[in-house]
Amino acid sequence: MADFQTPQMKEFPIIPDLQNDATSHLSPFIAKPNHNEDIGFPGELVDNWEEKAIDKMGDLLGKYRSLRVYLDSCVKCGACTDKCHYFQGTYDPKNMPVARQDLLRSVYRRYFTFAGKFFAKLGMPGIVGAREMNREVLDEWYSYFHQCSQCRRCSVFCPYGIDTAEISMAAREIMDSIGHGQKYCNEILGKLQKIGNNLGLPEKALKATLAEFEEEIEDETGVEVRIPIDEQGADVLLITPSADFFAEPHIDGLMGYAKVFHAAGVKWTLSTYASEAANFSMFIGSYSNMKVVAERIRKAAIDLGVKRIIVGECGHAWRVAYSFWNTTAGIGSGADENDVYAQQLQKQLDHSYPIPQHICEFTNDLIEKGELNLDKSRNDHRVVTFHDSCNVARGSRMGTTPGGQFDIPREVIKACCNNYVDMEPETIREKTYCCGGGGGLLTDDLMEIRVKGALPRMEALKSVVDEHKVTNLAAICAICKAQFAKVLPYYGFPMDMITSTHQLVKDAIILPGEGEGNDDDQEENED
Amino acid sequence: MSFLTGFYALLFYTATVLFVVGIGYKIRQYATTPAPLKIPTTPAPITTSGVVVRMAREVVLFESLFRSNRWIWVFGWMFHVALALVLVRHVRYFQDPVWELIVLAQPFGKYAGFAMIAGLGGLWARRIFVERIRYITNPSDHLILALLVAIGVSGLGMKYVAHTDIVALKSFMLGLMTFSFKPLPTDGFLLIHLLLVAVLMIIFPISKLLHAPGVFFSPTRNQADNPREKRHVAPWAAELDK
Ligand code: SF4
Ligand code: SF4
């Protein structure tokens, strides 16, 4: 394993003593010129970047009320200081949300506030916490704004709802605008915009993979379940993270969706052009990139003539889909009469279903209507707990009532399993802890921060493992799944504990016609 | 008109103008800066009336703070509620006759001054003794606390140590409002108190005290969670649709 110490799990989390600069050495690889240029940013750190960064900050201050209000309003009350999982795992004070904000706020105060300018003239900017923009500041931004997974836990606890995610997005956008981008996010976004998914999987490979999954399901159930792609005139377009096509445990989730669609008799399709739900543009704060990516989905929906759009298991993708698709691409309802852009798509879609709809909403509706034949006992070898993914929990919703995003996935799981337990109330639902790998941190160069940031979730998990013999940690986010598969072993858990929520559905569901014609399989199952 | 009366009259006019214009400017800036994306922290209300209730709970009860840190909540809430009572009590210096409601509030306002200082003391102690909060504290945070404590102490001083001629003070204040200047009593406590209040008004729009208007403009708290039902596009973002 790596050259850092996995933090000790404690039974009762404590607020650690500060360790200055404990993770100042951690920053991700810098993007290569083509990574930046491919998505519209300068290739390398530009001349006069100090000035240009300040200009960009001014631009963003005029465009985002959140930034404006949040930079002014913090009273340094300290309520957020102990709420960030990266602080809890690293003890580095700059990972306290307010301190992270201050890295940007100090520059804001220096250049955009009367107090900052005034005390800078007197030679004492520090009185009001103002700082010059310089290399040291830029390096600090690069490190610590890439040690924020933009999970928004801090925002739940701040008396003004100050959302550090908004600040770290702005900081990353400023850095991108001066040619100081992060490799992982920018490279992925380039691939997505060129090929259609984060991995750069070409059409052929995609189709071959789906054919394999079809075979696998047939081998297992004896039922022919199709996983269609690019099918003109399907009712439903499924947009899912590309990890669902190749990674463990994601693929089991995909096979789960396929079985559910099959059982419901819904005509559905994937799209090669829009074969990615993830939209890393949000992580780098880039509205224009986010729009470009969302428009691919819009185009796919129009081209394929679908009536509904359903999103697979992915956390930030669901936030973007639920909260931002309507805004950026008109994928939703309620566009003005004269909003030609959005009208085109909105006329085509069937508004008796939510647009977009989450796969858990879809499955849960079927469960409520009694349209799925689920055999819970098929999951009896498991004791399951659920990890609320941060972007679903704090940035989006499901169903028709506030908080539906907490209940619906749990309902789905409980309909498929007899053994379900929740983790500590302080660590789930809107107070959930990030897996440690969100926000564009899911890269090997940030392994140390990923492992340390996972600490609070691992502690909560350990307590249900010890008390209730939990065997599976279900999630509905591609990043959470990938992160946990990597990080669980650091804490002594088996990596295959992490489970796609729809894998539980996949295992419990009895397909129409299943077992007919191959009685042997049936008997085996019943044993 | 004595020099002192003239000085304080001028000070209060200046402070009032800076306060009103400064806050007005900031509110206008917040209100006119677009919020291009729907970012309510969930679970969020899905209707506007729900948002009003959420906001009221935040502003009146400090609900989020209550969930995050009981000590900060106790001191912070105590300070703010006491401050509100004290402010209500002060309204009588600007009215003749005084509203019934303000008269009713007087007895509470009397003791609120102590609660206010106790709350501030608690917050200040945390700032000094809790390592994390010490780390995020700037000198200006201490200065604002010092200013508020000094305002509270000098105010209590006028009531409990060296009694100020309230009748004369009131006629000075009413005079300020009608531009017919009446002499200001020359008590030490009063002069300090008024001076510091003026300073507070002046720094209000250029300091973290902006959290007062800011809380109402926080998109994570004041947005209804209805992005699927209603297309939400900021003017600058709508340009990109063309
Ligand atoms: S958004 Fe999450 S990761 Fe970022 S500072 Fe807040 S709690 Fe920490
Ligand atoms: S809780 Fe909010 S106001 Fe308090 S220090 Fe943190 S960001 Fe600032």
Short mmCIF file of all heavy atoms in Angstrom, two decimals, chain A residues 63 65 70 72 75-76 81 83 127 152 155 157-158 160-161 291 322 326-327 333 339 356 361 393-394 397 430, chain B residues 26 29-30 33-34 38-39 41-42 67-68 127 132 140 208 211 218 220-221 225 227-228 230-232 236-237 241:
data_model
loop_
_atom_site.label_atom_id
_atom_site.label_comp_id
_atom_site.label_asym_id
_atom_site.label_seq_id
_atom_site.Cartn_x
_atom_site.Cartn_y
_atom_site.Cartn_z
N LYS A 63 -21.87 36.95 -11.67
CA LYS A 63 -22.73 35.93 -12.27
C LYS A 63 -23.38 35.01 -11.24
O LYS A 63 -24.38 34.38 -11.52
CB LYS A 63 -21.90 35.05 -13.22
CG LYS A 63 -21.64 35.69 -14.56
CD LYS A 63 -20.85 34.73 -15.42
CE LYS A 63 -20.83 35.15 -16.87
NZ LYS A 63 -19.81 34.38 -17.60
N ARG A 65 -24.82 34.66 -7.46
CA ARG A 65 -25.19 35.27 -6.20
C ARG A 65 -24.61 34.48 -5.03
O ARG A 65 -24.19 35.05 -4.01
CB ARG A 65 -26.72 35.31 -6.08
CG ARG A 65 -27.18 36.02 -4.83
CD ARG A 65 -28.69 35.90 -4.66
NE ARG A 65 -29.38 36.58 -5.75
CZ ARG A 65 -30.66 36.36 -6.04
NH1 ARG A 65 -31.38 35.52 -5.34
NH2 ARG A 65 -31.23 36.99 -7.06
N TYR A 70 -21.92 34.41 -0.11
CA TYR A 70 -21.15 33.55 0.80
C TYR A 70 -19.81 34.16 1.18
O TYR A 70 -19.31 33.96 2.28
CB TYR A 70 -20.95 32.15 0.17
CG TYR A 70 -22.25 31.40 -0.01
CD1 TYR A 70 -22.38 30.37 -0.91
CD2 TYR A 70 -23.38 31.76 0.74
CE1 TYR A 70 -23.58 29.69 -1.08
CE2 TYR A 70 -24.58 31.09 0.57
CZ TYR A 70 -24.68 30.07 -0.34
OH TYR A 70 -25.87 29.41 -0.51
N ASP A 72 -19.27 37.30 1.56
CA ASP A 72 -19.53 38.39 2.52
C ASP A 72 -20.02 37.91 3.87
O ASP A 72 -19.75 38.54 4.88
CB ASP A 72 -20.62 39.33 1.95
CG ASP A 72 -20.06 40.37 0.99
OD1 ASP A 72 -18.83 40.58 1.00
OD2 ASP A 72 -20.85 40.97 0.23
N VAL A 75 -19.51 34.60 9.38
CA VAL A 75 -19.17 35.32 10.61
C VAL A 75 -18.07 34.62 11.39
O VAL A 75 -17.78 35.01 12.52
CB VAL A 75 -20.39 35.50 11.52
CG1 VAL A 75 -21.40 36.42 10.85
CG2 VAL A 75 -21.03 34.18 11.87
N LYS A 76 -17.49 33.58 10.82
CA LYS A 76 -16.45 32.83 11.52
C LYS A 76 -16.97 32.28 12.85
O LYS A 76 -16.29 32.33 13.86
CB LYS A 76 -15.21 33.71 11.78
CG LYS A 76 -14.67 34.42 10.55
CD LYS A 76 -14.04 33.40 9.62
CE LYS A 76 -13.72 34.00 8.27
NZ LYS A 76 -12.63 34.93 8.27
N THR A 81 -16.64 23.98 11.38
CA THR A 81 -15.22 23.58 11.43
C THR A 81 -14.99 22.09 11.55
O THR A 81 -14.03 21.57 11.00
CB THR A 81 -14.47 24.28 12.59
OG1 THR A 81 -15.29 24.18 13.74
CG2 THR A 81 -14.17 25.73 12.27
N LYS A 83 -17.10 19.68 10.56
CA LYS A 83 -18.08 18.91 9.79
C LYS A 83 -17.55 18.26 8.53
O LYS A 83 -18.24 17.49 7.89
CB LYS A 83 -19.27 19.82 9.42
CG LYS A 83 -19.97 20.46 10.61
CD LYS A 83 -20.54 19.40 11.55
CE LYS A 83 -21.35 19.98 12.69
NZ LYS A 83 -20.55 20.63 13.72
N ILE A 127 -5.45 42.40 9.13
CA ILE A 127 -6.45 42.74 10.15
C ILE A 127 -7.83 42.24 9.74
O ILE A 127 -8.59 41.74 10.55
CB ILE A 127 -6.50 44.28 10.38
CG1 ILE A 127 -5.23 44.68 11.12
CG2 ILE A 127 -7.76 44.68 11.14
CD1 ILE A 127 -5.33 45.92 11.92
N ARG A 152 -21.00 19.27 0.22
CA ARG A 152 -21.98 20.20 0.80
C ARG A 152 -22.41 19.83 2.21
O ARG A 152 -23.44 20.31 2.69
CB ARG A 152 -23.23 20.32 -0.09
CG ARG A 152 -22.92 20.51 -1.55
CD ARG A 152 -24.17 20.51 -2.38
NE ARG A 152 -24.69 21.85 -2.51
CZ ARG A 152 -26.00 22.13 -2.54
NH1 ARG A 152 -26.89 21.19 -2.41
NH2 ARG A 152 -26.40 23.37 -2.68
N SER A 155 -22.58 22.88 4.26
CA SER A 155 -23.69 23.79 3.99
C SER A 155 -24.93 23.47 4.82
O SER A 155 -25.71 24.36 5.16
CB SER A 155 -24.00 23.74 2.49
OG SER A 155 -25.34 24.00 2.24
N PHE A 157 -24.87 22.57 7.86
CA PHE A 157 -24.66 23.00 9.24
C PHE A 157 -24.42 24.49 9.40
O PHE A 157 -24.44 25.00 10.51
CB PHE A 157 -23.50 22.21 9.85
CG PHE A 157 -23.80 20.75 10.02
CD1 PHE A 157 -23.37 19.81 9.09
CD2 PHE A 157 -24.54 20.33 11.10
CE1 PHE A 157 -23.66 18.47 9.25
CE2 PHE A 157 -24.85 18.99 11.27
CZ PHE A 157 -24.41 18.05 10.35
N CYS A 158 -24.14 25.19 8.32
CA CYS A 158 -23.84 26.62 8.44
C CYS A 158 -25.13 27.40 8.66
O CYS A 158 -26.11 27.17 7.96
CB CYS A 158 -23.15 27.12 7.18
SG CYS A 158 -23.00 28.92 7.13
N TYR A 160 -25.96 30.14 7.68
CA TYR A 160 -26.36 30.89 6.47
C TYR A 160 -26.36 29.99 5.25
O TYR A 160 -26.46 30.48 4.12
CB TYR A 160 -25.43 32.08 6.24
CG TYR A 160 -25.19 32.79 7.52
CD1 TYR A 160 -23.96 32.73 8.17
CD2 TYR A 160 -26.24 33.44 8.15
CE1 TYR A 160 -23.80 33.30 9.42
CE2 TYR A 160 -26.09 34.00 9.39
CZ TYR A 160 -24.87 33.93 10.02
OH TYR A 160 -24.72 34.47 11.25
N GLY A 161 -26.20 28.71 5.45
CA GLY A 161 -26.20 27.80 4.31
C GLY A 161 -25.00 28.01 3.40
O GLY A 161 -25.04 27.65 2.22
N LYS A 291 -23.33 22.68 -19.79
CA LYS A 291 -24.39 22.81 -20.79
C LYS A 291 -24.08 21.96 -22.03
O LYS A 291 -24.96 21.25 -22.52
CB LYS A 291 -24.53 24.29 -21.15
CG LYS A 291 -25.68 24.60 -22.07
CD LYS A 291 -25.87 26.12 -22.16
CE LYS A 291 -26.84 26.47 -23.27
NZ LYS A 291 -28.20 25.96 -23.04
N TYR A 322 -31.16 16.20 -12.12
CA TYR A 322 -32.35 16.67 -11.41
C TYR A 322 -32.37 18.20 -11.33
O TYR A 322 -33.37 18.84 -11.62
CB TYR A 322 -32.39 16.07 -10.00
CG TYR A 322 -33.47 16.66 -9.13
CD1 TYR A 322 -34.77 16.18 -9.19
CD2 TYR A 322 -33.20 17.73 -8.29
CE1 TYR A 322 -35.77 16.74 -8.42
CE2 TYR A 322 -34.20 18.31 -7.53
CZ TYR A 322 -35.48 17.81 -7.59
OH TYR A 322 -36.48 18.39 -6.84
N ASN A 326 -32.78 20.83 -16.62
CA ASN A 326 -33.84 21.70 -17.14
C ASN A 326 -33.27 23.08 -17.43
O ASN A 326 -33.52 23.67 -18.48
CB ASN A 326 -34.98 21.78 -16.12
CG ASN A 326 -36.28 22.26 -16.74
OD1 ASN A 326 -36.34 22.50 -17.95
ND2 ASN A 326 -37.32 22.41 -15.94
N THR A 327 -32.46 23.56 -16.51
CA THR A 327 -31.84 24.88 -16.68
C THR A 327 -30.92 24.91 -17.91
O THR A 327 -31.02 25.80 -18.74
CB THR A 327 -31.01 25.23 -15.43
OG1 THR A 327 -31.91 25.31 -14.32
CG2 THR A 327 -30.31 26.55 -15.59
N SER A 333 -39.77 20.28 -17.26
CA SER A 333 -41.06 20.85 -17.63
C SER A 333 -41.03 22.36 -17.38
O SER A 333 -40.06 22.89 -16.86
CB SER A 333 -42.17 20.24 -16.78
OG SER A 333 -42.14 18.85 -16.87
N ASP A 339 -39.84 30.14 -25.04
CA ASP A 339 -38.54 29.50 -24.81
C ASP A 339 -38.38 28.39 -25.86
O ASP A 339 -38.51 27.21 -25.58
CB ASP A 339 -38.54 28.93 -23.38
CG ASP A 339 -37.19 28.39 -22.95
OD1 ASP A 339 -36.32 28.23 -23.83
OD2 ASP A 339 -37.02 28.12 -21.75
N PRO A 356 -36.12 14.68 -15.42
CA PRO A 356 -35.79 13.28 -15.63
C PRO A 356 -36.23 12.46 -14.42
O PRO A 356 -36.53 13.00 -13.37
CB PRO A 356 -34.27 13.31 -15.71
CG PRO A 356 -33.87 14.45 -14.83
CD PRO A 356 -34.96 15.48 -14.96
N GLU A 361 -36.61 5.77 -8.54
CA GLU A 361 -38.02 6.19 -8.59
C GLU A 361 -38.80 5.23 -9.48
O GLU A 361 -39.92 4.83 -9.16
CB GLU A 361 -38.15 7.60 -9.18
CG GLU A 361 -37.65 8.71 -8.30
CD GLU A 361 -37.72 10.06 -9.02
OE1 GLU A 361 -37.07 10.23 -10.06
OE2 GLU A 361 -38.42 10.95 -8.53
N ALA A 393 -28.13 13.12 -1.70
CA ALA A 393 -28.71 13.48 -0.40
C ALA A 393 -28.89 14.99 -0.26
O ALA A 393 -29.94 15.44 0.16
CB ALA A 393 -27.82 12.95 0.72
N ARG A 394 -27.87 15.75 -0.62
CA ARG A 394 -27.92 17.18 -0.31
C ARG A 394 -28.13 18.08 -1.52
O ARG A 394 -28.23 19.29 -1.37
CB ARG A 394 -26.64 17.60 0.43
CG ARG A 394 -26.62 17.15 1.86
CD ARG A 394 -25.38 17.62 2.56
NE ARG A 394 -24.20 16.93 2.12
CZ ARG A 394 -23.64 15.89 2.76
NH1 ARG A 394 -24.17 15.46 3.87
NH2 ARG A 394 -22.56 15.32 2.28
N ARG A 397 -33.41 15.54 -5.34
CA ARG A 397 -34.57 14.93 -4.69
C ARG A 397 -35.06 13.78 -5.56
O ARG A 397 -34.67 13.66 -6.71
CB ARG A 397 -35.68 15.98 -4.55
CG ARG A 397 -36.95 15.50 -3.89
CD ARG A 397 -37.82 16.67 -3.42
NE ARG A 397 -38.16 17.57 -4.51
CZ ARG A 397 -39.25 17.44 -5.28
NH1 ARG A 397 -40.07 16.45 -5.07
NH2 ARG A 397 -39.49 18.31 -6.24
N GLU A 430 -29.44 13.66 5.22
CA GLU A 430 -28.77 14.92 4.81
C GLU A 430 -27.45 15.13 5.54
O GLU A 430 -26.65 15.97 5.15
CB GLU A 430 -29.70 16.13 4.97
CG GLU A 430 -29.95 16.57 6.40
CD GLU A 430 -31.24 15.96 6.94
OE1 GLU A 430 -31.60 14.84 6.51
OE2 GLU A 430 -31.88 16.61 7.78
N LYS B 26 -25.62 47.03 -0.90
CA LYS B 26 -25.33 45.60 -0.82
C LYS B 26 -26.57 44.77 -1.14
O LYS B 26 -26.50 43.78 -1.87
CB LYS B 26 -24.82 45.27 0.59
CG LYS B 26 -23.33 45.41 0.72
CD LYS B 26 -22.67 44.44 -0.21
CE LYS B 26 -21.19 44.46 -0.22
NZ LYS B 26 -20.63 43.49 -1.19
N GLN B 29 -27.11 44.80 -4.70
CA GLN B 29 -26.12 43.94 -5.37
C GLN B 29 -26.52 42.46 -5.25
O GLN B 29 -26.49 41.72 -6.23
CB GLN B 29 -24.77 44.18 -4.71
CG GLN B 29 -23.61 43.58 -5.43
CD GLN B 29 -22.31 43.87 -4.69
OE1 GLN B 29 -22.22 43.67 -3.48
NE2 GLN B 29 -21.32 44.34 -5.41
N TYR B 30 -26.91 42.05 -4.05
CA TYR B 30 -27.31 40.65 -3.86
C TYR B 30 -28.53 40.33 -4.71
O TYR B 30 -28.64 39.28 -5.32
CB TYR B 30 -27.65 40.36 -2.39
CG TYR B 30 -26.48 40.45 -1.45
CD1 TYR B 30 -26.67 40.72 -0.10
CD2 TYR B 30 -25.17 40.28 -1.90
CE1 TYR B 30 -25.60 40.80 0.78
CE2 TYR B 30 -24.10 40.38 -1.03
CZ TYR B 30 -24.33 40.64 0.31
OH TYR B 30 -23.27 40.73 1.18
N THR B 33 -27.68 40.22 -8.53
CA THR B 33 -26.77 39.19 -9.03
C THR B 33 -27.57 37.92 -9.26
O THR B 33 -28.25 37.45 -8.36
CB THR B 33 -25.65 38.90 -8.01
OG1 THR B 33 -25.03 40.13 -7.67
CG2 THR B 33 -24.62 37.95 -8.59
N PRO B 34 -27.53 37.38 -10.46
CA PRO B 34 -28.37 36.21 -10.72
C PRO B 34 -27.89 34.97 -9.98
O PRO B 34 -26.70 34.84 -9.68
CB PRO B 34 -28.24 36.01 -12.23
CG PRO B 34 -27.10 36.83 -12.68
CD PRO B 34 -26.76 37.82 -11.63
N LYS B 38 -30.22 26.12 -9.67
CA LYS B 38 -30.97 25.77 -8.47
C LYS B 38 -30.08 24.96 -7.54
O LYS B 38 -29.67 23.85 -7.88
CB LYS B 38 -32.18 24.92 -8.87
CG LYS B 38 -33.32 25.75 -9.41
CD LYS B 38 -34.24 26.17 -8.29
CE LYS B 38 -35.46 26.93 -8.85
NZ LYS B 38 -36.38 27.33 -7.80
N ILE B 39 -29.76 25.53 -6.39
CA ILE B 39 -28.84 24.83 -5.49
C ILE B 39 -29.35 24.74 -4.05
O ILE B 39 -28.56 24.80 -3.12
CB ILE B 39 -27.45 25.50 -5.49
CG1 ILE B 39 -27.56 26.98 -5.12
CG2 ILE B 39 -26.75 25.35 -6.83
CD1 ILE B 39 -26.21 27.62 -4.78
N THR B 41 -30.06 23.42 -0.50
CA THR B 41 -29.58 22.25 0.25
C THR B 41 -30.81 21.45 0.65
O THR B 41 -31.72 21.97 1.28
CB THR B 41 -28.83 22.68 1.51
OG1 THR B 41 -27.88 23.66 1.16
CG2 THR B 41 -28.12 21.50 2.15
N THR B 42 -30.83 20.20 0.24
CA THR B 42 -32.01 19.38 0.52
C THR B 42 -31.88 18.70 1.88
O THR B 42 -30.77 18.58 2.40
CB THR B 42 -32.16 18.31 -0.57
OG1 THR B 42 -30.93 17.63 -0.72
CG2 THR B 42 -32.56 18.95 -1.88
N ARG B 67 -28.44 22.56 15.07
CA ARG B 67 -28.06 21.20 14.74
C ARG B 67 -26.55 21.01 14.70
O ARG B 67 -26.05 19.91 14.84
CB ARG B 67 -28.63 20.81 13.37
CG ARG B 67 -30.11 20.61 13.42
CD ARG B 67 -30.55 19.78 12.26
NE ARG B 67 -30.28 20.49 11.00
CZ ARG B 67 -30.60 20.01 9.81
NH1 ARG B 67 -31.15 18.84 9.72
NH2 ARG B 67 -30.36 20.71 8.74
N SER B 68 -25.82 22.10 14.48
CA SER B 68 -24.39 21.91 14.29
C SER B 68 -23.58 22.06 15.56
O SER B 68 -22.62 21.33 15.76
CB SER B 68 -23.84 22.83 13.21
OG SER B 68 -24.40 24.09 13.28
N ARG B 127 -13.85 31.77 20.91
CA ARG B 127 -12.88 32.28 19.94
C ARG B 127 -11.45 32.21 20.49
O ARG B 127 -10.49 32.05 19.74
CB ARG B 127 -13.24 33.73 19.60
CG ARG B 127 -13.06 34.06 18.15
CD ARG B 127 -13.64 35.37 17.76
NE ARG B 127 -14.90 35.28 17.04
CZ ARG B 127 -15.11 34.59 15.95
NH1 ARG B 127 -14.13 33.91 15.39
NH2 ARG B 127 -16.29 34.56 15.37
N ARG B 132 -9.82 25.33 17.11
CA ARG B 132 -10.30 25.46 15.73
C ARG B 132 -10.84 26.85 15.45
O ARG B 132 -10.66 27.41 14.38
CB ARG B 132 -11.47 24.49 15.45
CG ARG B 132 -11.24 23.08 15.81
CD ARG B 132 -12.38 22.15 15.39
NE ARG B 132 -13.74 22.62 15.60
CZ ARG B 132 -14.44 22.47 16.72
NH1 ARG B 132 -13.89 21.92 17.79
NH2 ARG B 132 -15.70 22.86 16.78
N SER B 140 -10.03 41.34 13.04
CA SER B 140 -11.29 42.09 12.92
C SER B 140 -12.44 41.40 13.66
O SER B 140 -13.37 42.07 14.11
CB SER B 140 -11.65 42.30 11.45
OG SER B 140 -11.62 41.07 10.76
N LYS B 208 -18.33 41.71 8.21
CA LYS B 208 -19.07 40.46 8.22
C LYS B 208 -20.48 40.63 8.78
O LYS B 208 -21.27 39.70 8.72
CB LYS B 208 -18.31 39.42 9.03
CG LYS B 208 -18.27 39.71 10.52
CD LYS B 208 -17.64 38.54 11.25
CE LYS B 208 -17.64 38.79 12.76
NZ LYS B 208 -17.03 37.70 13.50
N HIS B 211 -23.85 39.54 7.26
CA HIS B 211 -24.61 38.30 7.33
C HIS B 211 -26.08 38.58 7.59
O HIS B 211 -26.92 37.76 7.28
CB HIS B 211 -24.05 37.36 8.40
CG HIS B 211 -24.24 37.85 9.80
ND1 HIS B 211 -23.43 38.78 10.38
CD2 HIS B 211 -25.16 37.53 10.74
CE1 HIS B 211 -23.84 38.99 11.63
NE2 HIS B 211 -24.89 38.26 11.87
N SER B 218 -29.28 33.76 0.65
CA SER B 218 -28.51 32.54 0.47
C SER B 218 -29.29 31.55 -0.40
O SER B 218 -30.33 31.03 0.02
CB SER B 218 -28.23 31.93 1.85
OG SER B 218 -27.70 30.66 1.69
N THR B 220 -28.87 28.50 -1.15
CA THR B 220 -29.06 27.16 -0.61
C THR B 220 -30.26 27.11 0.35
O THR B 220 -30.78 26.04 0.62
CB THR B 220 -27.82 26.68 0.18
OG1 THR B 220 -27.36 27.76 0.98
CG2 THR B 220 -26.72 26.23 -0.76
N ARG B 221 -30.66 28.26 0.86
CA ARG B 221 -31.76 28.29 1.80
C ARG B 221 -33.03 28.94 1.25
O ARG B 221 -34.11 28.65 1.71
CB ARG B 221 -31.36 29.08 3.06
CG ARG B 221 -30.24 28.44 3.84
CD ARG B 221 -30.72 27.24 4.64
NE ARG B 221 -29.73 26.82 5.61
CZ ARG B 221 -28.85 25.86 5.41
NH1 ARG B 221 -28.84 25.18 4.29
NH2 ARG B 221 -27.97 25.55 6.36
N ASP B 225 -37.32 23.95 -4.13
CA ASP B 225 -36.73 22.81 -4.82
C ASP B 225 -37.69 22.30 -5.90
O ASP B 225 -38.38 21.32 -5.70
CB ASP B 225 -36.44 21.73 -3.76
CG ASP B 225 -35.76 20.52 -4.38
OD1 ASP B 225 -35.17 20.65 -5.46
OD2 ASP B 225 -35.84 19.43 -3.76
N PRO B 227 -36.82 22.22 -9.64
CA PRO B 227 -36.19 22.38 -10.95
C PRO B 227 -36.78 21.50 -12.04
O PRO B 227 -36.65 21.83 -13.22
CB PRO B 227 -34.72 22.00 -10.70
CG PRO B 227 -34.76 21.10 -9.53
CD PRO B 227 -35.91 21.56 -8.68
N ARG B 228 -37.41 20.39 -11.68
CA ARG B 228 -37.99 19.55 -12.72
C ARG B 228 -39.27 20.19 -13.26
O ARG B 228 -39.63 20.00 -14.41
CB ARG B 228 -38.35 18.16 -12.17
CG ARG B 228 -37.14 17.29 -11.92
CD ARG B 228 -37.52 15.81 -11.87
NE ARG B 228 -38.06 15.39 -10.59
CZ ARG B 228 -37.99 14.14 -10.14
NH1 ARG B 228 -37.42 13.20 -10.85
NH2 ARG B 228 -38.51 13.81 -8.97
N LYS B 230 -40.12 23.54 -13.21
CA LYS B 230 -40.08 24.91 -13.72
C LYS B 230 -38.69 25.17 -14.27
O LYS B 230 -37.70 24.91 -13.62
CB LYS B 230 -40.36 25.86 -12.53
CG LYS B 230 -40.46 27.31 -12.86
CD LYS B 230 -41.88 27.72 -13.23
CE LYS B 230 -41.91 29.00 -14.07
NZ LYS B 230 -41.43 28.85 -15.46
N ARG B 231 -38.61 25.64 -15.49
CA ARG B 231 -37.28 25.95 -16.05
C ARG B 231 -36.77 27.24 -15.41
O ARG B 231 -37.46 28.25 -15.38
CB ARG B 231 -37.35 26.08 -17.57
CG ARG B 231 -35.97 26.22 -18.19
CD ARG B 231 -35.91 25.79 -19.64
NE ARG B 231 -34.52 25.57 -20.01
CZ ARG B 231 -33.87 26.29 -20.93
NH1 ARG B 231 -34.50 27.23 -21.62
NH2 ARG B 231 -32.59 26.04 -21.19
N HIS B 232 -35.54 27.20 -14.93
CA HIS B 232 -34.96 28.30 -14.16
C HIS B 232 -33.71 28.75 -14.90
O HIS B 232 -32.70 28.06 -14.89
CB HIS B 232 -34.63 27.75 -12.77
CG HIS B 232 -33.74 28.60 -11.92
ND1 HIS B 232 -34.23 29.54 -11.06
CD2 HIS B 232 -32.39 28.66 -11.81
CE1 HIS B 232 -33.23 30.15 -10.44
NE2 HIS B 232 -32.09 29.63 -10.87
N TRP B 236 -27.91 35.87 -18.01
CA TRP B 236 -26.64 35.64 -18.72
C TRP B 236 -26.56 34.23 -19.29
O TRP B 236 -25.94 33.99 -20.33
CB TRP B 236 -25.40 35.97 -17.88
CG TRP B 236 -25.15 35.08 -16.68
CD1 TRP B 236 -25.49 35.35 -15.39
CD2 TRP B 236 -24.47 33.81 -16.64
NE1 TRP B 236 -25.10 34.33 -14.56
CE2 TRP B 236 -24.46 33.37 -15.30
CE3 TRP B 236 -23.87 32.99 -17.60
CZ2 TRP B 236 -23.88 32.17 -14.89
CZ3 TRP B 236 -23.29 31.78 -17.20
CH2 TRP B 236 -23.29 31.38 -15.86
N ALA B 237 -27.23 33.30 -18.61
CA ALA B 237 -27.19 31.93 -19.08
C ALA B 237 -28.14 31.74 -20.27
O ALA B 237 -27.88 30.93 -21.15
CB ALA B 237 -27.57 30.99 -17.94
N ASP B 241 -28.35 29.98 -24.77
CA ASP B 241 -29.35 29.15 -25.48
C ASP B 241 -29.54 29.59 -26.92
O ASP B 241 -30.16 28.89 -27.69
CB ASP B 241 -30.71 29.27 -24.77
CG ASP B 241 -30.82 28.30 -23.59
OD1 ASP B 241 -29.88 27.50 -23.41
OD2 ASP B 241 -31.81 28.36 -22.87
#
